[in-house]
C-alpha cells in the first residue's frame, strides 16, 4: 500500500491502491502548491513511476516501463516542475515530466557503480 503523510495536517493514512513487492519506491518529490502537491516517486524495485494525487488521496503508475532492480534512489525537482532522478543501478538518468505525466530515460548510458 501507499502511505500518504500530510505534513500540513500532521497526519498519515494508507491509500487504497496496492502494488505488489517490497522496496518499490525509495525516492519521492512533491511538485505543486503546498497541500495540493502531487508526489512523484521514481522506481527502485518497481517497473513504473508512481504518481500520488494528494488532493484525491489516490495513486497511479505512469505507462512507461523500466526493467531492473535498485533503479533510482535519489530525485530532485528542477526547471519547469520536472523531476530528475539519478541512477542507482540504472544505466540512464530518469526525467519525469510532471506536466505531461510521462517519464523518459536520457540516451547517455552509464556503467559501473
Amino acid at each position: 500500500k501507499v502511505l500518504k503523510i500530510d505534513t500540513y495536517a500532521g497526519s498519515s493514512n494508507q491509500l487504497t491502491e496496492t502494488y505488489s513487492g517490497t522496496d518499490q519506491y525509495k525516492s519521492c518529490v512533491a511538485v505543486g502548491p503546498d497541500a495540493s502537491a502531487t508526489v512523484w516517486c521514481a522506481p527502485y524495485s518497481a517497473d513504473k513511476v508512481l504518481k500520488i494525487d494528494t488532493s484525491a488521496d489516490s495513486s497511479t503508475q505512469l505507462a512507461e516501463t523500466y526493467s531492473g532492480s535498485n533503479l533510482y534512489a535519489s530525485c530532485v525537482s528542477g526547471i519547469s516542475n520536472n523531476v530528475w532522478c539519478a541512477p542507482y543501478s540504472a544505466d540512464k538518468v530518469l526525467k519525469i515530466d510532471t506536466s505531461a505525466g510521462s517519464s523518459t530515460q536520457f540516451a547517455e548510458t552509464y556503467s559501473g557503480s
Side-chain angles (χ1 to χ4, degrees):
K1 294 212 175 227
V2 175
L3 176 65
K4 174 189 169 189
I5 302 169
D6 186 335
T7 59
Y8 290 94
S11 63
S12 64
N13 64 296
Q14 285 188 341
L15 304 185
T16 58
E17 299 82 15
T18 301
Y19 303 99
S20 62
T22 59
D23 295 330
Q24 296 292 304
Y25 301 95
K26 289 196 174 206
S27 182
C28 300
V29 174
V31 176
D34 305 327
S36 62
T38 300
V39 177
W40 302 87
C41 304
Y44 184 72
S45 294
D47 62 354
K48 297 181 179 188
V49 172
L50 181 67
K51 174 185 175 184
I52 303 170
D53 182 335
T54 60
S55 297
D57 272 354
S58 65
S59 64
T60 56
Q61 291 179 314
L62 301 187
E64 299 80 20
T65 302
Y66 304 101
S67 60
S69 61
N70 308 330
L71 296 172
Y72 299 95
S74 180
C75 296
V76 296
S77 60
I79 297 170
S80 301
N81 290 330
N82 290 318
V83 174
W84 302 90
C85 307
Y88 187 76
S89 292
D91 62 356
K92 296 179 181 179
V93 170
L94 180 68
K95 174 189 173 187
I96 303 171
D97 183 332
T98 64
S99 297
S102 62
S103 61
T104 54
Q105 289 180 314
F106 276 75
E108 180 83 26
T109 300
Y110 302 97
S111 61
S113 47

